[in-house]
Amino acid sequence: MRSKSLIEGKKIHQCILKSNARIDNVVVFEKLALFYVRCGEVKVARVVFDQVSSRNVILWNSIIRAYAWNGQYEKAIDLYYEMCDSGIRPNKFTFPFVLKACSGLKSLEDGVEIHERAKVEGLDCDVYVSTALLDFYVKCGCLSEAQVLFGKMMYKDVVSWNAMIAGSALHGLYEETMRLVFEMQETGNVPNSSTLVAILPAIGRTKALCQGKSVHCFRLRRAFDKETLIETALLDMYAKCDSLNYAKRVFDFVGIKNEVTWSAMIGAYVLAGCMKEALALFDKMQIEGVVTLTPATLGSVLRACAKLTDIGRGRCIHGNLIKSGICLDLTIGNSLLSMYSKSGNLDDAMNLFDEMNLKDVVSYSAIISGCVQNGNAEEALLMFQNMQLSGIDPDIATMVGILPACAHLAALQHGRCSHGQLTVRGFSSDISIGNALIDMYSKCGRVDFAKDVFYRMPKQDIISWNAMVAGYGMHGHGMEALTLFHYMLRKGLKPDSVSFICLLSACSHSGLVAEGKHWFCAMTRNFNIAPRMEHCICMVDLLGRGGFLGEATDFIEKMPFEPDVRIWGALLGACRIHRNIKLGEEVSKKIQNLGAEGTGNFVLLSNIYSAAGRWKDAAHIRLIQRNKGFKKSPGCSWIEVSGRIHAFIGGDRSHPQSAQIHEKLDELLVEMKKLGYHADGSFALQDVEEEEKERILLYHSEKLAIAFGILNLRPSDPIFVTKNLRVCGDCHSAIKLLSMITNRTIIVRDTSRFHHFALGACNCGDFW
DNA sequence: TTAGGGTTAG
């Protein structure tokens, strides 16, 4: 219909031109311009508009509106100023149109100037103008201006109410949003479809299921337009309130599903952890002919692929996107980036990252976290630097991502710098930031700083408590961990599944066997949390470390699920500590039958044999390990001095200060021998002469790092060393003596925990 | 109306 009239209109236009109608025949051209605007032919309308010599305000308004609705905001604003300059006074219709353009561009400066002009014209109190102003301030992030304006409005219609409600919802003020909805009804304004669509996301975000259900009932009692929109918003609200079943029911009843409806349902499955269902629905959507792939849909689908580590599927989607050319979208690029790194394919993520023309703060945060998650924390720190060099400012998520990199490297100076940086940026009151700081400081050896952060947090969540319990646990402060846990219960907080993992592991590192057993039972009995494999690992570790190897074995047999390699690994570790060769061999066989992963377990068994002087067996295990293609990663220890990390590998002489380090160690060896030290050859792992063993052991990486610390740190500074493997037994004995000889506190973080050495003792009680 | 990056344990 429209195109038919457009054709006819164009014919008339041609006739006018042919008839040589006088160009100043304003009325004809004005009508023609308006006609083109109505047909959506903005470009042609503008050509005609430019030909009109004397334009009235209606014509100006029409073309400004056309631009504003068409997304050509700059042109709308330019035209507005041109109109004012030409002496035409804007009227009450002009302002809403041009303000829409200002909102679109988030151009506060223009909007404020236009607001002033509206005041001059005495039109700022008009309901249309003031609602447009309100909407403009909301979208530019100035909620308080919007609230002031709203308060001053003499007359409010449903659109004004909706603008204020949507504004509050947009700014995350849930209570205020709901208060406005009630107030709106008290003043006789009935919520319409826009009201519902505005409040449902806010309800979802706060998981206010009851309110959500009330809205649903309200909607069922009345007829509304925008059916699909409301249904989709309801579906999403239920999903966000963790009510997958309701979401599914709403989805099934949606009459006309659009691509957003499908996307919302796919997202609902992903949120609920039902990744296979999400992918199945994605297939169904395409079979049913919905081919529009929005960034939102792809985001959810790629997340599902990552979770399932279905890299094949993810790659396939990536390939199709390249073929269809949609891949350029930044959001989709970021989703792909995250999919690759979360599924363990950091190289693919890096390649994609390099290829991306456009990168934003999310892209950088994704790659930074990707590096950390895949064990490359140094690269993460470099990426963080690059990001700032490219002029992109980190946000909360970036900082939450960079802190684990510092934690992983035990780079306290970097961590403290990051802490300073995020404080300057005003992020320090954020809960996630606080949680990441607690973890970082704990892992950098400063549980005292972690505690400080924890108690200064304006609000803690369950992760904060868990992180703090874990922090105490890894430092061997089991009693503090238990006390904090009790305090948490007294405050009425509900522990989650992870809380018990943190607590049990804390008990295990402090030898609190009875307490650990108590809380393991209480977990199911009093808190209705079913034990997972992770809890069982902690229990085997707790019992085994405590020397109750038989009980640990019984525990494994009684477990409700098949033990995996991690469970046996925990028992094998206990066999190593308590030198139980017989059980160690049995466990080792079980591990090999399971198709052992990693090298840790081979090393453990080999250590058990070496400790018993069974060199041939030890060598045999190392041979099997090698034949199976597992290489023992070399022991590496590092220490941060003046913000720089110095790393050492056993026997390494590449460090510039190597000569001094070796000299220092030789000197200390003499002192140590005076105190009765003799190298524990069982940790040398090689059947060589005793003297040679002594030399091998003396230059173990942790000893090198400590000697470096002694040489380069002030005597009052604690020496903090991190190791990529467990501390070796000989080093453990040696460091105890070193702490006495040098009268220094030495803290060593290994893969299992922190060892605090002082005055000749370690707080791990020699079990780790 | 949907959506991209982040924190706890093992």
Side-chain angles (χ1 to χ4, degrees):
Chain A
M1 217 18 220
R2 170 180 271 198
S3 62
K4 199 175 168 192
S5 62
L6 177 64
I7 293 165
E8 279 166 10
K10 281 187 174 171
K11 277 183 194 159
I12 295 169
H13 190 179
Q14 276 173 347
C15 290
I16 295 169
L17 292 174
K18 276 184 198 158
S19 71
N20 270 338
R22 280 174 48 210
I23 212 82
D24 59 351
N25 189 341
V26 177
V27 182
V28 173
F29 279 89
E30 189 186 300
K31 289 258 183 298
L32 206 51
L34 290 174
F35 161 77
Y36 280 122
V37 167
R38 261 177 233 128
C39 291
E41 294 282 324
V42 190
K43 253 189 175 168
V44 191
R46 179 64 194 262
V47 173
V48 178
F49 172 86
D50 285 341
Q51 288 175 329
V52 181
S53 53
S54 135
R55 304 151 186 156
N56 62 17
V57 68
I58 299 173
L59 186 59
W60 280 100
N61 285 349
S62 306
I63 201 103
I64 292 172
R65 181 181 62 176
Y67 278 135
W69 285 10
N70 213 10
Q72 293 174 281
Y73 304 130
E74 287 101 336
K75 285 189 175 162
I77 297 170
D78 286 348
L79 226 57
Y80 162 81
Y81 287 124
E82 213 178 292
M83 175 182 116
C84 295
D85 290 345
S86 72
I88 303 279
R89 285 171 61 190
N91 67 9
K92 66 175 187 179
F93 296 98
T94 321
F95 291 112
F97 303 152
V98 70
L99 284 166
K100 181 178 163 52
C102 297
S103 307
L105 282 179
K106 291 199 168 57
S107 171
L108 192 60
E109 210 176 307
D110 287 313
V112 170
E113 192 177 332
I114 291 163
H115 187 176
E116 288 305 316
R117 177 68 191 247
K119 280 185 197 163
V120 172
E121 297 293 337
L123 289 170
D124 59 317
C125 293
D126 174 84
V127 66
Y128 286 86
V129 177
S130 46
T131 303
L133 281 166
L134 197 158
D135 185 64
F136 154 76
Y137 281 118
V138 160
K139 298 220 169 100
C140 287
C142 307
L143 189 68
S144 51
E145 272 85 350
Q147 284 167 330
V148 170
L149 220 61
F150 187 70
K152 283 189 193 158
M153 282 171 79
M154 301 290 284
Y155 170 75
K156 295 162 186 145
D157 64 5
V158 67
V159 185
S160 333
W161 280 101
N162 283 347
M164 197 62 244
I165 288 168
S168 305
L170 209 66
H171 284 79
L173 304 173
Y174 171 73
E175 308 260 327
E176 176 65 6
T177 307
M178 296 316 286
R179 193 190 63 73
L180 284 166
V181 176
F182 292 127
E183 202 185 313
M184 166 190 193
Q185 294 177 82
E186 280 165 13
T187 59
N189 283 291
V190 182
N192 65 12
S193 54
S194 302
T195 325
L196 303 195
V197 169
I199 59 174
L200 283 167
I203 293 175
R205 256 197 307 278
T206 43
K207 296 188 188 281
L209 183 61
C210 280
Q211 294 280 18
K213 282 183 177 171
S214 311
V215 173
H216 197 172
C217 291
F218 182 83
R219 180 246 179 285
L220 290 173
R221 288 198 301 269
R222 287 174 176 75
F224 281 106
D225 58 343
K226 303 181 185 167
E227 286 268 336
T228 304
L229 237 76
I230 298 181
E231 299 288 342
T232 306
L234 277 169
L235 182 173
D236 180 60
M237 177 276 295
Y238 280 124
K240 299 269 160 61
C241 291
D242 303 317
S243 306
L244 182 67
N245 284 336
Y246 285 130
K248 179 81 175 65
R249 265 157 65 181
V250 173
F251 178 77
D252 289 339
F253 280 102
V254 180
I256 303 160
K257 299 178 175 70
N258 64 17
E259 70 275 10
V260 181
T261 318
W262 286 93
S263 172
M265 193 61 225
I266 293 170
Y269 278 126
V270 171
L271 202 65
C274 307
M275 305 305 171
K276 286 192 177 145
E277 286 81 354
L279 292 181
L281 193 69
F282 178 58
D283 290 336
K284 195 172 172 216
M285 174 185 106
Q286 288 166 307
I287 291 167
E288 295 205 2
V290 182
V291 286
T292 317
L293 299 181
T294 67
T297 318
L298 289 164
S300 296
V301 169
L302 290 170
R303 186 181 272 242
C305 294
K307 263 274 183 302
L308 293 169
T309 50
D310 190 348
I311 190 70
R313 176 106 194 211
R315 272 189 218 285
C316 187
I317 292 174
H318 188 180
N320 288 334
L321 287 172
I322 292 171
K323 271 188 231 158
S324 60
I326 338 178
C327 190
L328 301 163
D329 181 278
L330 183 59
T331 305
I332 298 176
N334 291 341
S335 297
L336 285 166
L337 208 56
S338 150
M339 184 270 296
Y340 282 124
S341 55
K342 284 211 178 91
S343 54
N345 295 277
L346 185 61
D347 288 345
D348 291 305
M350 287 288 217
N351 290 336
L352 177 65
F353 184 79
D354 290 339
E355 283 167 17
M356 281 167 73
N357 297 322
L358 207 64
K359 299 177 182 94
D360 65 357
V361 63
V362 177
S363 327
Y364 273 99
S365 305
I367 201 73
I368 287 171
S369 301
C371 289
V372 181
Q373 283 153 7
N374 289 284
N376 197 344
E378 291 105 316
E379 188 67 32
L381 291 179
L382 283 175
M383 282 287 180
F384 185 65
Q385 271 179 356
N386 288 345
M387 168 179 159
Q388 288 172 300
L389 287 175
S390 356
I392 297 175
D393 278 338
D395 63 7
I396 288 181
T398 324
M399 297 313 291
V400 171
I402 202 69
L403 290 170
C406 305
H408 184 88
L409 294 167
L412 181 64
Q413 294 303 326
H414 269 97
R416 294 190 82 171
C417 275
S418 304
H419 191 172
Q421 200 178 355
L422 65 88
T423 306
V424 170
R425 290 181 190 277
F427 301 157
S428 49
S429 58
D430 182 88
I431 296 192
S432 305
I433 288 278
N435 297 345
L437 282 172
I438 294 172
D439 181 55
M440 183 274 291
Y441 280 128
S442 302
K443 288 188 178 147
C444 287
R446 298 306 300 255
V447 74
D448 50 337
F449 289 177
K451 207 172 127 187
D452 207 42
V453 171
F454 178 78
Y455 284 107
R456 280 172 196 263
M457 280 170 79
K459 213 177 154 202
Q460 295 109 336
D461 64 7
I462 189 68
I463 297 180
S464 330
W465 290 88
N466 292 351
M468 198 60 237
V469 169
Y472 282 133
M474 67 181 85
H475 284 272
H477 304 163
M479 287 316 289
E480 281 92 335
L482 277 168
T483 310
L484 191 72
F485 186 77
H486 279 291
Y487 181 41
M488 181 179 108
L489 295 182
R490 270 210 312 282
K491 287 194 87 173
L493 270 107
K494 214 175 147 280
D496 67 4
S497 173
V498 177
S499 311
F500 285 96
I501 298 173
C502 300
L503 187 69
L504 293 173
S505 115
C507 290
S508 170
H509 285 305
S510 293
L512 300 167
V513 181
E515 289 82 351
K517 278 157 92 171
H518 165 78
W519 285 111
F520 181 77
C521 294
M523 175 173 84
T524 317
R525 199 179 50 219
N526 304 343
F527 298 94
N528 202 21
I529 295 173
R532 294 204 318 244
M533 190 70 89
E534 284 79 3
H535 299 104
C536 296
I537 296 168
C538 289
M539 282 310 283
V540 172
D541 198 54
L542 174 88
L543 295 167
R545 222 184 269 273
F548 305 97
L549 292 173
E551 208 176 329
T553 316
D554 283 349
F555 181 89
I556 296 176
E557 278 164 12
K558 286 184 190 141
M559 278 182 353
F561 27 71
E562 280 299 303
D564 69 359
V565 70
R566 295 171 301 167
I567 289 272
W568 293 121
L571 188 59
L572 187 61
C575 294
R576 208 288 278 133
I577 296 172
H578 298 286
R579 306 200 170 190
N580 189 327
I581 298 181
K582 194 169 161 282
L583 188 59
E585 281 175 327
E586 284 171 28
V587 172
S588 183
K589 268 183 207 143
K590 298 211 183 220
I591 291 177
Q592 284 173 46
N593 288 340
L594 281 171
E597 299 146 24
T599 57
N601 294 319
F602 283 112
V603 175
L604 276 177
L605 186 65
S606 168
N607 277 349
I608 293 173
Y609 284 133
S610 308
R614 286 169 58 176
W615 302 111
K616 270 191 184 165
D617 291 323
H620 181 62
I621 289 296
R622 286 204 299 278
L623 197 69
I624 299 176
Q625 176 189 325
R626 214 170 304 145
N627 290 344
K628 290 202 173 186
F630 294 122
K631 256 176 84 181
K632 177 185 177 290
S633 34
C636 176
S637 301
W638 60 94
I639 179 168
E640 193 186 47
V641 173
S642 312
R644 261 198 69 193
I645 292 173
H646 300 258
F648 300 88
I649 291 173
D652 189 4
R653 284 182 178 271
S654 63
H655 193 275
Q657 284 189 42
S658 185
Q660 287 160 273
I661 292 169
H662 283 75
E663 201 179 308
K664 186 78 193 167
L665 280 175
D666 290 336
E667 182 190 313
L668 288 165
L669 180 65
V670 177
E671 296 291 320
M672 279 153 62
K673 279 189 170 168
K674 281 186 201 158
L675 290 168
Y677 168 81
H678 60 91
D680 185 347
S682 68
F683 292 98
L685 295 178
Q686 289 164 38
D687 188 13
V688 290
E689 291 305 313
E690 286 301 318
E691 199 177 323
E692 179 59 19
K693 273 183 201 159
E694 189 178 274
R695 306 241 45 92
I696 292 170
L697 290 167
L698 188 61
Y699 303 129
H700 262 185
S701 66
E702 48 269 59
K703 293 195 187 93
L704 294 175
I706 289 169
F708 179 77
I710 293 172
L711 287 168
N712 292 281
L713 291 169
R714 283 177 308 188
S716 57
D717 288 341
I719 295 170
F720 177 36
V721 166
T722 307
K723 193 181 175 192
N724 68 335
L725 306 170
R726 285 185 198 218
V727 177
C728 107
D730 174 71
C731 285
H732 198 267
S733 316
I735 302 167
K736 283 198 279 189
L737 295 174
L738 286 176
S739 72
M740 191 148 71
I741 296 163
T742 60
N743 196 24
R744 279 174 177 264
T745 303
I746 302 172
I747 304 163
V748 179
R749 182 183 107 181
D750 70 2
T751 44
S752 148
R753 58 167 291 153
F754 279 87
H755 300 262
H756 290 250
F757 297 93
L759 304 170
C762 175
N763 76 335
C764 78
D766 297 345
F767 293 117
W768 72 93

